[in-house]
Each structure stands twice: as C-alpha cells, then as structure tokens.
Amino acid sequence: GQQVMQIPQYQHVQEGEDFTTYCNSSTTLSNIQWYKQRPGGHPVFLIQLVKSGEVKKQKRLTFQFGEAKKNSSLHITATQTTDVGTYFCAGQSYNTDKLIFGTGTRLQVFP
Amino acid sequence: NAGVTQTPKFQVLKTGQSMTLQCAQDMNHEYMSWYRQDPGMGLRLIHYSVGAGITDQGEVPNGYNVSRSTTEDFPLRLLSAAPSQTSVYFCASSYWGGSLDTQYFGPGTRLTVL
C-alpha cells in the first residue's frame, strides 16, 4: 500500500536558523498537503500543492512539490519560537480516495 | 459554525469494553475520516467516508467499525477495546469533489485502554 515517509523525525534549531523537512511517497501523488500540529493540539492545514515542480510561499515558509510528484519539502527561513510543532505532509495517490499522512517532523526552536 | 466536534475529549476503558467515539461537522462536507495518532507513527487512517451511506477501510481498520447514516455524523465504534488501541483519535472532514481538499480536524479524543 501507499506509504509516506518524512525526515528527519526530530529537529532542534536555534531561533533564527533555517529548517527543512522532506517528504517521500512510495507512489505518485495527485496532490500533497502540509499540516502543522502544535503540542497538545490538532493538525491545521497549511497548504496544498498539485502541479509537478510547484513552489509556493507563505511568508517564511516555502513548499515544493517534486517533478516526479513523489516527494515534497517544507523549508522555514529564520525560525521563530512560534514555529514549534510537528509538521506533517499528506498525500493522495491517483485513483484513490485516501489521504495518507507522513510520519511527521517535530520541530523544537530554542530562543 | 462549530466546525468539527468530537466527544468525549478523554476516555478510560478496560480491556474488552466497547464504546463509540462521536464526530460531527456542520460544514456540509461529504468526506469524513478517522485517524489515530501514536508517538513516532504520525497519523494513520482508520476508516473514511465519501458520503452518507458509504464507508471504506483505511490503513488500520481492524477492531473498529464505522457507519455514515447522515452527512453530519461519523461515529467510530470500538468493538472490544484492547491496550493497543490506546491512542489519540482525530476525526476530520473536507469537501469532496474527487480530489481531496483541506482537511478540518476535530480537537481529538484521548483514549486509554487498561
């Protein structure tokens, strides 16, 4: 079945440093979504990517969808303490109606 | 709009007991799903539904039943609770047009099975 892996599992950074998490799917995706979950909270939608090679930006966050539509990345520039949380990618394969989540990357930012 | 609501927020069960986790949404979303979250394993899909009267299995369906009699409600039933079902359970809903859209998550139910 479809599998979605994320690396790294954990990342600790000093405030102001950059952060990147990578997402890899075992199958080609029709679209990929990214979510953020604060400690003790529920996942909150950040963005959706649909096109091969697509790049989208939200302030300090940059999202990329790979050319083969099997991988994606989230890059945060100059992290802040408010960026703390777990970041998940979630992908839908072609011809399925399931959204499979990645294993997540937990980000800790030290002031 | 209340969005996606889940009850209860916390529950402790003994092994072998059964219970139903409730999920409701008021956004008229066709698509609803249940995930469980365990440390280091992300969110795993249990069951999902693309509309009233239609349900299907996700990645980890064993030990759980669902039904979708209305658009608004999507309860998850644990038939005979086991310690391995100790987890945080999230319900989510979204618009469904053949391609999945933004998932709106409920606040979660923390379940402990002793």
Side-chain angles (χ1 to χ4, degrees), chain B residues 28-109:
Chain B
N28 202 31
H29 285 162
E30 301 93 338
Y31 193 97
M32 295 186 74
S33 55
W34 278 101
Y35 290 88
R36 60 176 288 174
Q37 184 171 32
D38 304 294
M41 303 191 74
L43 292 150
R44 292 184 291 169
L45 182 64
I46 304 172
H47 286 285
Y48 65 101
S49 168
V50 298
I54 305 169
T55 64
D56 208 342
Q57 296 182 347
E59 302 169 274
V60 288
N62 292 342
Y64 307 94
N65 272 0
V66 291
S67 59
R68 185 93 180 271
S69 55
T70 67
T71 298
E72 295 77 18
D73 301 295
F74 191 44
L76 177 72
R77 282 183 287 276
L78 279 69
L79 309 172
S80 177
S84 61
Q85 293 178 305
T86 293
S87 188
V88 180
Y89 291 85
F90 288 102
C91 177
S93 75
S94 74
Y95 168 75
W96 170 246
S99 177
L100 283 162
D101 207 339
T102 304
Q103 300 293 307
Y104 294 89
F105 282 84
T109 293

Side-chain angles (χ1 to χ4, degrees), chain A residues 57-68:
Chain A
K57 292 190 176 183
Q58 288 181 349
K59 297 183 180 178
R60 295 177 295 105
L61 277 62
T62 302
F63 304 84
Q64 287 189 305
F65 200 7
E67 294 289 341

Side-chain angles (χ1 to χ4, degrees), chain A residues 17-29:
Chain A
E17 292 181 335
D18 292 356
F19 159 77
T20 304
T21 174
Y22 300 92
C23 178
N24 290 287
S25 170
S26 59
T27 59
T28 304
L29 302 172

